[in-house]
């Protein structure tokens, strides 16, 4: 018996050792086996699951190749979500002139193989969308009709600078959208990628399967890929990064290694952050104030802890009776308890909700009008909701305990139950929906939750198969906000009937061939991007007033664009509201990356 | 036929049944994920389509449908379209044929959600971790549990009064709760073991002492969470089997004959072991699915989470690859135990010989 047991143990151990060999032989690119803590920066929450590819032309590549991360590949400019400015990166500056947006390239920008970043690289990167219809960049060519570049004499009179001209499509004169692309589209090295495209016979999907980018890719950013596995992605600092001299007074980024740790659930990111095994995390951690004693900090020291960046809202399918009735929609907006949503569903990480589609703080504040909000907006007021319903002719019947039995429309017909769709398992969203339903039922609107498979949910959203549905239109903070939020919510530009897929205005509001069509909405959406700054406020106010009066969707709460929480166990001087030298963009996005040059190791070692 | 070779005949009939089961299982593996109304491309599109207008989103979606061979194309590679301009979806039966063809070439396809990663790459990167955690743990748990259970049944007395209730208690704790208790107590309160991962965050897998000692250190809690429950369950099972066997005539007869205690214990063990072997086969076969909870709790590398995210994301090729693996391992484990029992237990062989 004993010998058999020993035998089995040995067998097991051997097997285990053997299997580890198979598992580890695959992805070792760098022989360095360990990373000194004082020189290593750990971040989590930007990469879910094992890395798929580091090909910069893939739609959803692994961290940090995807937009808007700029550690390896860089965009022309970066968006500073604090100041609302476009900060220079590969391009020094931009100007919008009649019919074109021009950028001047930074002449000192270099690829990691020491070749300069040129106008040809910029043209090549954007023209990927013209050459390959299946590329995500194809959409750019709806707004840009041509890209050219030339060289001009610099102000010093001797050196020459490269200017790139983005000629705007005359039918869609939209510089805002082009600015969005400036900070989103990564410039890739034409001299590396063009041969690879030729190698795959210009077959884009064959090119996307190319593994050449997994080792020593040619990049322009401050870090490069060193090693990756299903558990982490390791980036090593490039000490010859061109930007050190141009933007950082010849200093190096402080962390020598930048590691993106991949865990299997939000709880693990939370524990790792509290134990100091992560320095920054981009994950939802409930009741973050309790983690303060574990040296975990956030942008704001108090509520709402995170700066708001997007608005989850109920999309209303106006083609479903009686949801086409704006009085009902306004009654819904007045029935929901937004404070409960903020406190119970999102841990208080939301300032009080104001009516309308413009964020009343930060970069968008200049377009917000408190006066209009008070005059036209719906706020939580169940009594008012009941009045609106009564005035509109809706009748609700309750049982003895105050439970809603049925609701009748003004014609006296029973209103079929209105279902609110939301993906199952997104717990914060589920609570938001429950609170919204509770509020609506209390005033007599027959609403119910409907949690469903996420794939089906997305399909239902696009084809318009829903009554109400929780979604976040255009959730990222980009230079085109709040215009792009309005566009995603209200635009009838690509209007399609129910059953066909729409990627904006999925509630089919404002049917261009319907009797109640409001042309003002589409024309405002069309002209705002090209208006001079001093005329934008009036146009935005007009649009927001129409939105508040019509209530085509029902905003519920504010959410941060990125959760940004940091641990001060190993690094200090993270950007915060009190020390806002860089925006809260997790030290790897947009202008937030600059913080990598400013943080300091806690133990003072270099 | 083959009457003169009962052993071979036994192996062949069992093998044939397993082959049929395998084919049915593969068909179900293919069909079940596709019966739902949702489509993996919709999920992909939700992530990719932000900022695209409807027309660009439609073009993007059609490119994906084509890439994943979900729509029909003509010889020039263009999409076939119905009269109203929508792409023609590939019929399920044709997809199944493609799938079988690819499987025969050892190609399990490309994952939708991890595009452009191959399913085989994902599985082979994750599988070693799952096997290295599960196989030794289950085997050790099985052996130790059975030894303890047999001893407890035979010795009775104080030993049994400790082992039996302890096993009962441990095996009654759900494995996820037990794992979380271990993490809370040893990783968060006492901070003596790491809370997560298969190795330290500042290491990359290499052949080095540091890496292997880190793996061993991270192995302890996940190992305990499976081992204790497995051993407890086995001990209870084998204890009752042994008590039953102790009451049988052959044991009493052997005792009357004055045969040595160890010899009787061996007879007892052999007889009580047969159902336990079947249990071992089942748990070894099911370990990939069962690994999920351990991996989630300890954020341990492995295949379990790949299965979970694949299912949540309707990633058909990955689901099919994983279920194929699970099916194969369950069937193989059962088949080998069937054969093993056939050889260990003359009664089974005899029964088949008489058919």
């Amino acid at each position: 018996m004993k010998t058999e047991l020993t035998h089995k143990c040995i067998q097991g151990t051997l097997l285990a050792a053997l299997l580890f060999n198979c598992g580890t032989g695959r992805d070792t690119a760098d022989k360095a086996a360990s990373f000194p803590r004082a020189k290593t920066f750990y971040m989590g929450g930007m990469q879910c699951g094992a890395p798929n590819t580091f090909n910069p032309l893939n739609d959803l590549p692994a961290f940090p190749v995807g937009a808007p991360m700029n550690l390896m590949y860089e965009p022309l400019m970066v968006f500073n979500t604090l100041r609302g400015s476009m900060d220079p990166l590969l391009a020094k500056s931009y100007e919008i002139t009649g019919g074109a947006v021009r950028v001047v390239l930074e002449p000192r920008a270099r690829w990691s193989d020491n070749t300069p970043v040129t106008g040809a690289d910029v043209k090549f990167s954007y023209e990927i969308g013209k050459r390959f219809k299946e590329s995500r960049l194809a959409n750019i060519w709806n707004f840009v009709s041509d890209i050219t570049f030339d060289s001009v004499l610099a102000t010093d009179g001797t050196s020459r600078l490269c200017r790139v001209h983005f000629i705007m499509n005359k039918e869609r004169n939209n510089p805002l959208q082009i600015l969005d692309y400036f900070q989103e589209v990564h410039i890739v090295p034409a001299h590396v990628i063009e041969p690879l495209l030729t190698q795959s016979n210009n077959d884009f999907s064959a090119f996307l399967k190319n593994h050449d980018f997994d080792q020593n890719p040619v990049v322009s950013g401050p870090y490069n890929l060193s090693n990756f596995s299903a558990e982490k992605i390791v980036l090593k600092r490039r000490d010859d990064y061109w930007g050190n001299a141009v933007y950082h007074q010849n200093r190096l980024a402080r962390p020598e290694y930048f590691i993106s740790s991949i865990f299997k659930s939000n709880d693990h990111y939370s524990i790792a952050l509290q134990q100091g095994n992560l320095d920054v995390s981009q994950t939802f951690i409930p009741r973050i104030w309790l983690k303060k004693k574990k040296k975990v900090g956030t942008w704001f020291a108090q509520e709402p802890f995170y700066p708001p960046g997007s608005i989850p809202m109920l999309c209303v399918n106006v083609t479903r009776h009686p949801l086409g009735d704006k009085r009902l929609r306004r009654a819904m907006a007045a029935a929901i308890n937004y404070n409960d949503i903020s406190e119970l569903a999102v841990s208080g990480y939301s300032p009080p909700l104001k009516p309308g589609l413009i964020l009343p703080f930060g970069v968008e504040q200049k377009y917000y009008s408190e006066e209009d909000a008070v005059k036209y907006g719906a706020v939580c007021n169940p009594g008012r909701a009941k009045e609106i319903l009564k005035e509109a002719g809706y009748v609700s019947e309750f049982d003895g305990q105050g439970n809603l039995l049925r609701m009748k429309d003004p014609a006296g017909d029973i209103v079929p139950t209105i279902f609110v769709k939301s993906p199952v398992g997104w717990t914060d969203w589920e609570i938001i929906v429950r609170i919204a339903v509770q509020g609506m039922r209390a005033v007599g609107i027959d609403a119910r939750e409907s949690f469903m498979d996420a794939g089906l949910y997305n399909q239902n959203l696009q084809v318009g198969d829903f009554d109400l549905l929780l979604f976040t239109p255009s959730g990222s903070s980009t230079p085109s906000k709040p215009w792009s939020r309005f566009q995603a919510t209200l635009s009838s530009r690509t209007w399609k009937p129910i059953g066909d897929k729409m990627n904006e205005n999925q509630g089919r509001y404002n049917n261009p061939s319907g009797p109640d069509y409001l042309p003002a909405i589409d024309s405002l959406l069309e002209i705002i991007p090209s208006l001079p700054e001093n005329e934008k406020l009036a146009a935005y106010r007009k649009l927001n007033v129409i939105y508040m009066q019509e209530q085509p969707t029902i905003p519920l709460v504010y959410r941060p664009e990125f959760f940004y929480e940091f641990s001060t166990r190993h690094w200090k001087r993270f950007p915060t509201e009190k020390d806002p030298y860089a925006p809260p963009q997790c030290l790897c996005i947009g202008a937030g990356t600059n913080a990598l040059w400013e943080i300091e190791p806690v133990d003072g070692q270099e | 036929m083959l009457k003169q070779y009962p052993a071979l005949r036994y192996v062949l009939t069992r093998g044939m049944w397993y082959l049929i089961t395998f084919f049915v299982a593969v068909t179900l593996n293919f069909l079940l994920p596709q019966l739902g109304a949702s489509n993996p491309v919709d999920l992909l599109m939700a992530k990719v389509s932000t900022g695209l207008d409807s027309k660009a989103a439609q073009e993007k979606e059609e490119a994906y449908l084509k890439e994943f061979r979900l729509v029909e194309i003509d010889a020039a590679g263009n999409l076939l379209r119905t009269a109203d301009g929508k792409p023609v979806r590939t019929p399920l039966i044709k997809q199944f044929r493609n799938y079988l063809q690819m499987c025969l070439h050892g190609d399990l396809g490309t994952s939708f959600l991890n595009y452009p990663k191959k399913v085989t790459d994902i599985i082979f990167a994750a599988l070693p971790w799952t096997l290295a955690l599960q196989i030794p743990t289950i085997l050790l748990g099985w052996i130790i549990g059975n030894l303890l259970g047999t001893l407890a049944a035979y010795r009775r007395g104080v030993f049994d009064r400790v082992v039996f209730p302890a096993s009962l208690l441990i095996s009654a704790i759900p494995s996820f709760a037990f794992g979380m208790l271990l993490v809370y107590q040893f990783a968060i309160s006492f901070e003596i073991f790491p809370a997560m991962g298969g190795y330290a965050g500042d290491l990359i897998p290499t052949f080095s002492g540091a890496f292997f000692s880190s793996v061993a250190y991270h192995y302890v809690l996940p190992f305990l969470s499976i081992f204790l429950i497995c051993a407890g369950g086995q001990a209870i099972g084998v204890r009752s089997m042994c008590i039953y066997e102790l009451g049988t005539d052959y044991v009493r007869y052997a005792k009357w004959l004055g045969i040595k205690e160890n010899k009787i214990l061996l007879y007892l063990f052999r007889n009580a072991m047969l159902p336990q072997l079947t249990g071992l086969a089942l748990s070894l076969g099911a370990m990939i699915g069962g690994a999920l909870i351990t991996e989630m709790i300890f954020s341990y590398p492995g295949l379990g989470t790949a299965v979970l995210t694949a299912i949540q994301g309707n990633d058909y090729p990955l689901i099919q690859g994983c279920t194929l693996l699970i099916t194969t391992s369950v069937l193989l484990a059962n088949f080998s135990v069937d054969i093993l029992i056939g050889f260990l237990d003359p009664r089974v062989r005899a029964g088949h010989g008489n058919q």
Side-chain angles (χ1 to χ4, degrees):
Chain A
M1 209 48 239
K2 228 176 220 163
T3 50
E4 195 188 319
L5 180 78
T6 346
H7 189 67
K8 279 204 169 157
C9 285
I10 293 171
Q11 245 180 1
T13 325
L14 279 181
L15 186 68
L18 191 80
L19 290 166
F20 272 119
N21 296 354
C22 312
T24 55
R26 300 175 50 78
D27 37 29
T28 318
D30 190 350
K31 289 284 162 260
S34 135
F35 310 99
R37 191 64 181 90
K39 294 178 178 179
T40 311
F41 181 83
Y42 290 88
M43 85 115 25
M46 284 287 176
Q47 169 76 30
C48 313
N52 55 343
T53 174
F54 293 89
N55 187 322
L57 299 186
N58 189 284
D59 288 325
L60 300 164
F63 177 89
V65 178
M69 263 76 75
N70 51 11
L71 294 178
M72 279 170 61
Y73 297 94
E74 299 178 304
L76 287 173
M77 308 198 82
V78 288
F79 184 56
N80 187 321
T81 51
L82 274 186
R83 296 201 299 264
S85 59
M86 292 291 277
D87 293 354
L89 196 59
L90 289 175
K92 286 155 68 89
S93 61
Y94 75 93
E95 58 169 342
I96 301 170
T97 58
V101 188
R102 297 172 211 286
V103 294
V104 176
L105 294 190
E106 170 55 54
R108 287 168 286 180
R110 289 281 181 284
W111 295 109
S112 50
D113 59 3
N114 208 26
T115 52
V117 179
T118 63
D121 289 323
V122 177
K123 187 174 162 74
F124 172 82
S125 305
Y126 279 84
E127 284 192 343
I128 290 288
K130 200 176 187 177
R131 285 166 71 179
F132 306 104
K133 279 276 159 269
E134 60 268 46
S135 159
R136 223 187 92 83
L137 301 183
N139 199 39
I140 293 170
W141 293 89
N142 292 329
F143 300 92
V144 174
S145 62
D146 197 13
I147 295 175
T148 58
F149 58 96
D150 55 16
S151 80
V152 288
L153 214 55
T155 41
D156 63 5
T158 52
S159 56
R160 297 193 75 82
L161 292 174
C162 178
R163 272 194 321 179
V164 186
H165 312 266
F166 292 78
I167 317 292
M168 280 188 275
N169 178 352
K170 285 198 182 61
E171 285 157 34
R172 303 202 66 176
N173 184 12
N174 192 334
L176 278 185
Q177 188 77 54
I178 293 175
L179 291 188
D180 270 8
Y181 287 125
F182 280 179
Q183 53 95 49
E184 179 190 323
V185 177
H186 284 147
I187 305 305
V188 294
H191 65 283
V192 174
I193 294 191
E194 187 62 76
L196 290 174
L197 278 168
T198 317
Q199 221 177 69
S200 32
N201 295 323
N202 279 309
D203 177 346
F204 198 58
S205 70
F207 167 78
L208 289 181
K209 298 195 180 86
N210 198 309
H211 285 289
D212 286 351
F213 299 94
D214 294 356
Q215 276 188 12
N216 299 319
V218 174
V219 299
S220 65
Y223 285 83
N224 206 347
L225 185 63
S226 155
N227 187 290
F228 66 92
S229 65
E231 293 82 48
K232 64 169 82 68
I233 298 166
V234 182
L235 307 177
K236 191 169 184 313
R237 185 178 62 202
R238 283 182 53 223
D239 293 354
D240 56 348
Y241 172 54
W242 63 273
N244 292 335
V246 179
Y247 299 119
H248 302 287
Q249 300 89 44
N250 283 314
R251 294 175 303 151
L252 298 174
R254 298 306 280 266
E256 188 175 343
Y257 296 97
F258 189 115
I259 296 183
S260 170
S261 303
I262 304 163
F263 301 131
K264 303 206 169 178
S265 79
N266 272 6
D267 300 333
H268 292 110
Y269 289 102
S270 169
I271 294 172
L273 189 71
Q274 293 174 60
Q275 295 191 333
N277 294 327
L278 279 182
D279 299 308
V280 162
S281 183
Q282 197 283 115
T283 42
F284 175 67
I285 298 177
R287 300 194 292 170
I288 193 80
W289 56 91
L290 296 179
K291 323 290 183 206
K292 213 178 260 177
K293 58 178 186 290
K294 301 261 187 173
K295 299 194 167 187
V296 172
T298 45
W299 179 257
F300 298 112
Q302 296 87 30
E303 276 194 12
F305 300 101
Y306 306 90
S310 67
I311 314 179
M313 56 183 83
L314 290 179
C315 188
V316 184
N317 185 343
V318 299
T319 65
R320 294 240 172 127
H321 177 77
L323 295 169
D325 183 351
K326 72 177 168 196
R327 293 166 301 181
L328 178 63
R329 299 197 295 264
R330 282 184 65 86
M332 285 175 168
I336 297 169
N337 189 332
Y338 304 107
N339 273 341
D340 276 2
I341 290 182
S342 169
E343 275 168 33
L344 303 175
V346 299
S347 230
Y349 305 158
S350 168
L353 188 83
K354 301 275 185 170
L357 273 188
I358 300 173
L359 295 178
F361 17 62
V363 177
E364 295 175 31
Q365 190 171 18
K366 57 184 182 224
Y367 303 125
Y368 174 78
S369 158
E370 179 70 27
E371 185 195 329
D372 292 347
V374 171
K375 197 165 165 194
Y376 302 104
V379 289
C380 175
N381 184 346
R384 177 78 194 115
K386 282 184 185 162
E387 277 171 36
I388 300 175
L389 288 175
K390 202 172 160 194
E391 285 161 18
Y394 292 91
V395 181
S396 302
E397 293 169 22
F398 294 86
D399 71 5
Q401 279 91 44
N403 297 316
L404 180 65
L405 293 175
R406 62 186 73 81
M407 178 190 193
K408 288 182 179 164
D409 66 11
D413 297 326
I414 290 179
V415 173
T417 302
I418 297 163
F419 284 99
V420 187
K421 288 186 175 176
S422 168
V424 70
W426 297 20
T427 44
D428 46 347
W429 277 33
E430 285 185 5
I431 301 170
I432 293 177
V433 170
R434 283 183 207 285
I435 295 169
V437 163
Q438 206 178 27
M440 289 193 273
R441 292 195 73 80
V443 301
I445 299 167
D446 187 7
R448 284 285 184 205
E449 307 86 344
S450 166
F451 301 125
M452 59 194 308
D453 174 82
L456 201 55
Y457 158 90
N458 285 307
Q459 192 261 354
N460 283 187
L461 166 65
Q462 291 183 322
V463 300
D465 183 8
F466 59 89
D467 305 324
L468 298 178
L469 176 142
L470 182 54
F471 80 144
T472 308
S474 194
S476 52
S477 301
T478 63
S480 66
K481 292 283 166 322
W483 171 80
S484 40
R485 193 179 301 118
F486 278 106
Q487 172 79 9
T489 315
L490 299 173
S491 170
S492 307
R493 194 189 159 83
T494 52
W495 210 90
K496 292 216 173 110
I498 294 287
D500 285 350
K501 288 188 176 175
M502 263 184 97
N503 205 34
E504 60 253 293
N505 181 15
Q506 291 91 341
R508 269 59 172 187
Y509 170 69
N510 208 20
N511 181 355
S513 47
D516 308 320
Y517 180 60
L518 295 171
I521 296 179
D522 282 324
S523 60
L524 278 169
L525 285 173
E526 210 59 26
I527 60 160
I528 283 179
S530 55
L531 281 181
E533 199 54 41
N534 55 5
E535 292 172 32
K536 272 189 182 145
L537 171 64
Y540 271 127
R541 279 184 68 172
K542 239 188 241 171
L543 196 54
N544 210 19
V545 166
I546 299 179
Y547 174 81
M548 288 188 280
Q549 289 172 325
E550 291 279 309
Q551 200 80 57
T553 65
I554 303 165
L556 298 177
V557 69
Y558 300 122
R559 302 235 77 185
E561 184 194 14
F562 296 106
F563 289 100
Y564 160 65
E565 54 267 324
F566 51 84
S567 155
T568 49
R569 280 179 198 252
H570 299 282
W571 293 92
K572 57 186 180 190
R573 242 209 115 205
F574 286 96
T576 61
E577 181 210 11
K578 300 253 165 61
D579 186 12
Y581 65 87
Q585 290 171 297
C586 295
L587 289 77
C588 58
I589 298 156
T593 314
N594 291 333
L596 285 174
W597 279 261
E598 311 301 332
I599 54 171
E600 291 160 11
V602 164
D603 57 9
Q605 290 166 8
E606 262 300 85
Chain B
M1 204 177 69
L2 292 175
K3 272 244 160 78
Q4 60 275 48
Y5 306 110
L8 184 63
R9 188 192 146 101
Y10 172 71
V11 172
L12 283 180
T13 32
R14 297 308 298 168
M16 196 188 69
W17 278 111
Y18 276 104
L19 217 64
I20 295 173
T21 320
F22 179 73
F23 187 75
V24 173
V26 168
T27 315
L28 286 179
N29 280 350
F30 175 80
L31 272 182
L32 289 178
Q34 319 236 12
L35 292 180
S38 73
N39 172 345
V41 174
D42 289 323
L43 261 180
L44 257 183
M45 283 307 294
K47 294 187 199 161
V48 174
S49 66
T50 33
L52 301 186
D53 67 15
S54 301
K55 188 170 150 276
Q58 189 194 336
E59 273 170 5
K60 186 77 237 176
E61 183 180 354
E62 287 176 359
Y64 273 125
L65 288 170
K66 186 177 155 192
E67 175 65 32
F68 296 129
R69 300 173 75 178
L70 295 171
V71 287
E72 295 285 84
I73 49 172
D74 62 17
N78 297 317
L79 296 188
L80 294 180
R81 290 179 192 279
T82 55
D84 57 352
K86 290 195 175 122
V88 181
R89 300 300 293 259
T90 305
L92 213 52
I93 186 79
K94 198 169 166 190
Q95 285 186 42
F96 186 47
R97 216 166 55 213
N98 291 343
Y99 170 68
L100 286 183
Q101 267 168 9
M102 281 163 64
C103 279
L104 287 178
H105 291 102
D107 180 0
L108 296 179
T110 310
S111 161
F112 289 175
L113 293 183
N114 298 292
Y115 181 79
K117 236 186 175 180
K118 289 282 199 200
V119 169
T120 39
D121 288 347
I122 297 174
I123 291 181
F124 284 121
L127 193 60
W129 288 99
T130 301
L131 296 185
L133 176 62
Q134 299 276 330
I135 292 184
T137 314
I138 291 176
L139 282 181
L140 267 184
W142 188 80
I143 293 166
I144 306 251
N146 280 316
L147 282 178
L148 281 179
T150 316
L151 278 178
Y154 195 75
R155 292 266 162 77
R156 311 303 287 261
V158 183
F159 189 72
D160 186 35
R161 278 200 290 272
V162 175
V163 169
F164 180 60
S167 306
L168 208 57
L169 180 73
I170 288 176
S171 66
I173 305 175
S175 62
F176 64 89
F178 191 55
M180 285 200 263
L181 284 176
L182 286 177
V183 170
Y184 183 72
Q185 211 42 257
F186 295 102
I188 295 179
S189 294
F190 300 158
E191 298 204 11
I192 43 178
F193 283 109
M196 66 192 80
Y199 54 94
D202 62 354
L203 291 175
I204 49 175
T206 46
F207 286 105
S208 64
F211 175 67
F212 280 101
S213 64
S214 177
V215 168
Y217 182 43
H218 283 72
Y219 198 77
V220 177
L221 289 188
F223 171 81
L224 283 180
S225 80
I226 308 174
F227 170 78
L228 287 178
I229 289 178
C230 176
Q234 294 294 335
I236 297 169
V238 82
R239 179 183 170 276
S240 17
M241 279 305 299
C242 283
I243 287 173
Y244 167 78
E245 293 286 336
L246 276 172
T248 52
D249 293 343
Y250 77 89
V251 173
R252 265 184 262 163
Y253 184 58
K255 277 186 179 167
W256 283 335
L257 285 180
I259 293 177
K260 274 192 208 140
E261 205 171 73
N262 279 352
K263 191 100 185 162
I264 302 178
L265 201 57
L266 192 64
Y267 287 141
L268 192 67
F269 194 71
R270 272 187 68 176
N271 274 305
M273 206 57 1
L274 290 171
Q276 298 299 99
L277 263 180
T278 318
L280 175 67
L282 285 177
S283 51
L284 279 179
M287 70 182 165
I288 290 166
L292 170 68
I293 288 170
T294 321
E295 287 174 16
M296 286 300 284
I297 290 171
F298 296 97
S299 196
Y300 205 80
L303 203 57
T305 25
V307 181
L308 180 73
T309 40
I311 291 173
Q312 285 172 339
N314 298 310
D315 191 345
Y316 301 158
L318 191 51
I319 298 178
Q320 285 156 2
C322 294
T323 43
L324 188 69
L325 192 73
I326 294 173
T327 314
T328 318
S329 51
V330 170
L331 291 180
L332 269 182
N334 276 293
F335 183 59
S336 18
V337 165
D338 262 6
I339 303 299
L340 203 64
I341 285 182
F343 284 103
L344 289 184
D345 188 351
R347 287 169 299 187
V348 174
R349 234 180 5 238
H352 273 269
N354 293 339
Q355 268 177 7

